[in-house]
Every structure is written in C-alpha cells, then in structure tokens.
Amino acid sequence: MKVAILGCGAIGGVVARAVRDGEVPGAELVGVVHAERTDPPGLPVLDVEAAIEQADLIVECAGQRALAELGPSIVAAGTDLLVVSVGALADDALLAKLRDTGPGRLHLCSGAIGGLDVLAAAARMGGLSEVRIVTTKKATTLIQKWMDEPAAQRLRTAVEPVELMRAPARAVTAAFPASANVAASVALAVGDWDLVEAAVVADPEAPLTSHVITAEGSAGDYRFEIRNHPSPANPATSGVVPHAVLAAVGRLAAPTGAFA
Ligand SMILES: NC(=O)c1ccc[n+]([C@@H]2O[C@H](COP(=O)([O-])OP(=O)(O)OC[C@H]3O[C@@H](n4cnc5c(N)ncnc54)[C@H](O)[C@@H]3O)[C@@H](O)[C@H]2O)c1
C-alpha cells in the first residue's frame, strides 16, 4: 500500500520515518506533504496533488483546518484517507462529504485514547444514557487563539487545576482543536454528539495528559482512565498518537488477525 503523510510535525514526522524505514509491513512511503519553510530531512516531499495521484492512502496528521480544506478532494479523487484530527468531523457537512460520497474511503484513528470499540458496542446494545470525557493537560498547552491575554496569562501562572470548559463534545472539540479531538472520537464511537459531555481541565503540574471516559447504559458501566506522556516534539500531543496511527496503517496495509 502506497502511503503519503499530510503534515510532518510531531505525529506525521514519526509516522513518515517509520513507514519509510519499513516498520509497517505492506506499507511504502511515497512522500510527505508539509507546510513548513524547510523540508524535513531525509523524507521525500510531494505537493498534495502528487500525493493524491501516487498514494493509495493519505494519512492526515496536519490539523482540523487542513483536513477540512484538503480532505474532500482526497476522497473525491478515490484515495483513501486516514484521519487523526477527528474533531473536524464535528462539522456534519464535512463528515458527510468524507464518509458518504467517496470513492475514497474514510478511516478514523483512535489517536490518544482507547475503549472506543466497547463504547460503540454498548451504544448499539440498547444505547447509553450518559457519556463523559474529562481531559486534563498541562495548562500552558491549552492556551488558544480565541483567549484574551488575561485568560492566557491565567493559564501561564495557574497554581492549581482549573476547568476551562464543560459542554457537549461538538463545542469542546471546536474550542480546543489540537487538544480535544478525543471528545470527537468518543462522540463518533457512540454515534451521538449531544449525549457526550466533554470537559477540559488545565493543570499547571500535570506531567501526563489524562483522559477519563465514563459511560453508562443497558450494556453496562464503563470507566477508562488513560494517562499519556506528552510528545517530546509537541507537548499538546501525546507521544503514543503516532504509534496509534502506525497501528492503523498496519491494519489497512496487511490485515493479520489484529484487532480491527
Ligand atoms: N485523535 C487524537 O487523539 C489526536 C491527538 C493529538 C493530536 N491530534 C491532531 O493531530 C494534529 C497534528 O498534531 P501534531 O502534534 O503532529 O501537530 P504539529 O503542529 O506538530 O504538526 C502539524 C503539522 O502539519 C502541518 N500542516 C498544517 N497545515 C498543513 C497543510 N495544509 N498541508 C500540509 N501540512 C500542514 C504543520 O505545518 C505542522 O508541521 C493536531 O492538530 C490535532 O488536531 C489528534
């Protein structure tokens, strides 16, 4: 399977080098599409048109905006798309374009969290009555462009955890596009954006990024606590995410009896 990587930052760089180095059986790197001033060393660089033409699969690691801008032309050209910035799919029109029109197929990466499979199963079995995700990250990684300077300064100087937002998943993933893709992942897994309540907590001390997911329904009660070390390249991203992407690429490239 010929693979191109869209976005060559903390996630895409690790994914591109691992695929280039043959670490994913059945997958071959054709190149990376990037938006930095200098090319990433040791990686073949393509423009997006060439990536669409040459790749069987484009792996989006570039952010919600890039996915919204470039995703539709990728699937419309018949190239499959694996998405890491799943929060962009809170836009129903974009989701429909990417998922329902093809001919390229849309695949979602579980990214920083797990448990999505059992949540999907439980939602199918009689539905879920409550679903919550509470994300706690190092305060300074949660500063957003829409925050005014006093609000940003409060995060820089916070001495104890502060809850920044608690709202339906759609609103939270839009407000924290680089940090709350996980809220969208849970909503997409259970098939209900309004049911999922998401909260974002800024913790000045947090050495790890945590996601606590709870759900209740007729199938049972669920609680997952995920505590990830931040990526050394981007503290807003967990270091495990590129490896979730590589696992997903591996499943698509060469099905071998692993969990789907
Ligand atoms: N699903 C999850 O659990 C999860 C977890 C972490 C991050 N993410 C998503 O992954 C995204 C990438 O994370 P990261 O840590 O690698 O970010 P990053 O900032 O380190 O890297 C993103 C790269 O994409 C490039 N880029 C942006 N727009 C582009 C475009 N139009 N074309 C080509 N390249 C473009 C940037 O220049 C940058 O190099 C985040 O923005 C977030 O939305 C998802």
Side-chain angles (χ1 to χ4, degrees):
M1 191 176 71
K2 291 187 174 5
V3 177
I5 313 297
L6 175 62
C8 198
I11 300 173
V14 173
V15 172
R17 286 189 289 275
V19 177
R20 177 199 64 189
D21 295 345
E23 290 176 21
V24 183
E28 179 194 330
L29 184 74
V30 294
V32 298
V33 182
H34 78 103
E36 303 290 325
R37 283 202 181 149
T38 49
D39 287 350
L43 290 167
V45 172
L46 302 171
D47 60 27
V48 71
E49 290 79 16
I52 289 172
E53 201 180 300
Q54 294 176 33
D56 304 307
L57 175 75
I58 293 185
V59 183
E60 174 279 314
C61 306
Q64 293 189 14
R65 180 188 285 189
L67 175 60
E69 282 171 8
L70 300 172
S73 57
I74 294 170
V75 293
T79 305
D80 290 350
L81 177 63
L82 172 64
V83 164
V84 74
S85 301
V86 288
L89 307 177
D91 176 344
D92 289 333
L94 179 66
L95 177 61
K97 257 191 221 162
L98 296 180
R99 187 188 56 192
D100 304 334
T101 54
R105 286 165 300 184
L106 175 69
H107 304 282
L108 308 186
C109 180
S110 55
I113 59 171
L116 298 170
D117 46 1
V118 78
L119 290 178
R124 288 178 74 94
M125 183 184 159
L128 292 164
S129 52
E130 281 188 12
V131 185
R132 288 202 180 90
I133 175 164
V134 179
T135 293
T136 303
K137 280 194 178 186
K138 204 168 174 60
T140 47
T141 69
L142 289 167
I143 295 170
Q144 305 295 313
K145 287 190 185 125
W146 50 260
M147 292 176 176
D148 60 18
E149 184 45 33
Q153 188 58 12
R154 269 198 297 280
L155 288 185
R156 286 184 206 107
T157 55
V159 289
E160 56 185 31
V162 44
E163 184 174 293
L164 298 180
M165 189 170 184
R166 180 175 290 266
R170 202 188 293 272
V172 173
T173 199
F176 295 90
S179 289
N181 287 284
V182 287
S185 301
V186 172
L188 289 163
V190 305
D192 189 336
W193 286 95
D194 298 324
L195 176 65
V196 179
E197 182 189 80
V200 174
V201 176
D203 183 344
E205 300 299 335
L208 279 77
T209 295
S210 83
H211 306 285
V212 178
I213 303 165
T214 50
E216 286 173 27
S218 54
D221 293 349
Y222 305 91
R223 184 179 192 285
F224 313 101
E225 179 168 2
I226 294 130
R227 288 165 54 78
N228 289 320
H229 285 287
S231 157
N234 179 359
T237 284
S238 295
V240 76
V241 176
H243 301 281
V245 176
L246 288 166
V249 173
R251 286 191 293 272
L252 294 170
T256 54
F259 288 108

